[in-house]
Amino acid sequence: MSAAFSKRVDAALADPILKIAVERTAGTAEAKRAAAIDAFAQFEDARTRAAAIKDHVVAHLGFYLEQFEAAATAAGAHVHYARTADEACAIVIDICKAAGARTVARSKSMMGEEIGLPHALAEAGIVRVETDLAEHIIQLADERPSHIVWPAMHKTSAQVSALFKQHHALPHSEETIPAMAESARRHLREGMLGADVGISGANFLIADSGAVCTVTNEGNAELSLVPPRVHIVTAGIEKLVPSMGHAVQMLRLLARSATGATLTQYTTFYTGPKRAADPDGPDAMHIVLIDNGRSAMRDDGLAEMLRCIRCGACMNHCVVFRQIGGHAYGGTYPGPMGAVLTPALDGLAASRDLPNACTLNGKCQEVCPVKIPLPTLLRGWREKSWREGLEPATMRQGIAAWAWVAQRPRLYRLAVRAAIFAMRRFGRGWITALPLAGGWTAHRDLPAPDAESFMRRYARGER
Amino acid sequence: MTPAAPPPRVALFVTCLVDLIRPRIGFAAIRALEAAGCTVVVPAGQTCCGQPALNSGARAEATAIAKRTIALLEGHDAIVVPSGSCAATIRVQYPELFEHDPAWLARAEAVAARTYEIMAYLDEVRGWRPDTALDATATYHDSCSGLRELGIKAQPRRLLNHVAGLSLIPLKGAETCCGFGGTFCVKYPAISNAIATEKAAAIDTSGADLLLAGDLGCLMNMAGKLHRDGSAVRAFHAIEVIAGMGGGPAIGEET
């Protein structure tokens, strides 16, 4: 285990508040999703169809990108392409500067986090207002999201209350959740209505109409994107779907998988900037289509990961995520999907712990609405890590020696006898401490082997 | 199963953990298979299915082990494994290892198609029911690989419900991973321990005397945690109870 990952894991496991907060939100999401799926008789068909839609788009990305660009341009939007995170940030900052922007309102977007947009805006001297309530909370706390649907799921209401007291101009006397929501609403409305530019991500990009779809439960996207003069969309190229009908099929799975709701409170399609007859809307709309490693993922055997619709069900159901929370993963995306994406985005050498720190129990694949074979993809990263010599030498030598012996049955039997002899010196019944097995016996007892192996007893004629 | 049919010749693949730690599970498997009308053979050259190498990313090592295991297990009517996890390795993972090697793929698929987790084999293929007894209250943990890769859920419960005197009570979070995960538990012991702690607490508060499951790895993890925490719950592989060996020493009891 790398020192950095180990440090983050230890900190997470030592934090009782984190455990309570994560368990509460993920546990609620798990229960609500189960009820929603039970009530959705066509769930399996919908999953199969959704996976097929995404696979089709990913296999024909060039076609759909051109179709989307043509339609969005016809609707009056400007379409930009960015190969990397830095290119994407540079494009966004240039647009902001050209618009003379001093403040931007941001509607929650994991793509913004992925490309490091908050940092780029700060460097450019542009004031950023995060308008999603949870993003607002973590902006005040100067943290990063710990979950892709609930960025502040690691915080308790008491912690949020303390942050609001410290940062909101209007002090709130009551620490009730409605009072806190009201305080945030007042604070955020100012930021949204005064912003020069609104920046959003996209849940779906509709190829045949050039529309951009966002879903929220707070309406903050609408308030952040309609009043400012300029609307900038940052979106991964895999967000494309052929048509509105396809987007609706995906939406039926997204909300149910994320929160257990049938649909989000707000689902909005933005097609181009304000037209002559429109009463409101931005004067200009820019859409930045970002690759940032996605084409390489498609070509490197990770095409199935590009199906992901960012619902968060895999992390809500992951035993590891439930123990260590999102920040321990160290990347933009946590949980099982993050463990597949982070090595692709940040490099395997820096993140080889993530695909390894998984029990391969398969629950994430079971709940994934687009049937991503997450355990298979995680095993693929482990193979690459092994091939490239990134796994620790002790592990490599241990597995290699064991594999060599496992192919030589007579030697193997001798090794088993030796292991039994050695282990039984440390205890009969339960072993409470065993050299070289400290990872096990630090936390639990180990059953000692019987005096003789099965194969030896069987060979002797015992039945 | 027609009475006139010759008894199937079943190869028992005991798994490395059963061989090393708890031979009783292997003998219970033989007893149950014979009671179900099978002729049991134990191929002498067997070692381990290669799962530790496979899950560590050591594909070349895993492939080499898979080849010799396939060669060893070919030619039997069925291959039966007292572990959902090891059975899934042979049934699901072996064919994937040879996707670009047609000759070996055919052999891997032929072996995979005849490989069964023991309780699934006894219940689904043989349609067998035990006539054993054990006066106890037990709870059952659904080990992940068997559950999700092989669909093992109802089969062990159907068999256990035929053990006279045994009452099965539900376990909260029975389908939630116990934190064993093969090499995961030694590579990331602190995370594994946090998961196992919750699992042990759920087992301990279930009200059961016995914890049953179909995988020795998961059982060692859960029983080891229960014992460290001072719980009185005793653990057995479900096939031991089904075969009438539930009255003997539980996992971790001195022999």
Side-chain angles (χ1 to χ4, degrees), chain B residues 90-171:
Chain B
I90 299 174
R91 256 190 98 105
V92 182
Q93 306 300 335
Y94 276 13
E96 289 180 10
L97 279 174
F98 300 106
E99 59 183 340
H100 303 301
D101 185 344
W104 273 101
L105 178 62
R107 294 173 70 178
E109 282 178 339
V111 166
R114 293 178 190 185
T115 299
Y116 301 89
E117 188 277 336
I118 185 161
M119 294 182 285
Y121 181 75
L122 291 169
D123 175 71
E124 288 178 357
V125 181
R126 299 300 297 166
W128 173 78
R129 294 290 175 263
D131 59 357
T132 50
L134 183 71
D135 213 12
T137 303
T139 196
Y140 192 87
H141 163 80
D142 295 282
S143 295
C144 303
S145 299
L147 175 69
R148 302 206 175 86
E149 292 187 86
L150 303 177
I152 293 163
K153 174 90 186 165
Q155 306 91 325
R157 289 174 173 82
R158 275 197 290 263
L159 296 173
L160 288 165
N161 279 330
H162 272 77
V163 175
L166 185 73
S167 83
L168 268 185
I169 56 176
L171 174 63

Side-chain angles (χ1 to χ4, degrees), chain A residues 236-321:
Chain A
I237 51 177
E238 85 286 7
K239 293 285 180 182
L240 281 160
V241 289
S243 72
M244 172 82 90
H246 295 96
V248 170
Q249 296 195 46
M250 309 306 289
L251 284 164
R252 300 180 78 195
L253 290 163
L254 176 59
R256 284 179 171 90
S257 300
T259 64
T262 312
L263 207 58
T264 41
Q265 308 285 342
Y266 297 88
T267 302
T268 307
F269 296 82
Y270 307 85
T271 314
K274 179 180 174 178
R275 282 163 293 248
D278 291 344
D280 51 24
D283 299 328
M285 181 184 192
H286 293 267
I287 303 166
V288 187
L289 299 173
I290 303 165
D291 188 313
N292 200 31
R294 285 160 175 74
S295 299
M297 284 171 63
R298 186 181 66 168
D299 301 337
D300 289 347
L302 292 169
E304 290 147 322
M305 193 60 222
L306 297 174
R307 290 178 191 161
C308 180
I309 57 173
R310 308 291 194 259
C311 70
C314 59
M315 55 199 75
N316 297 338
H317 291 77
C318 172
V319 282
V320 173
F321 180 91

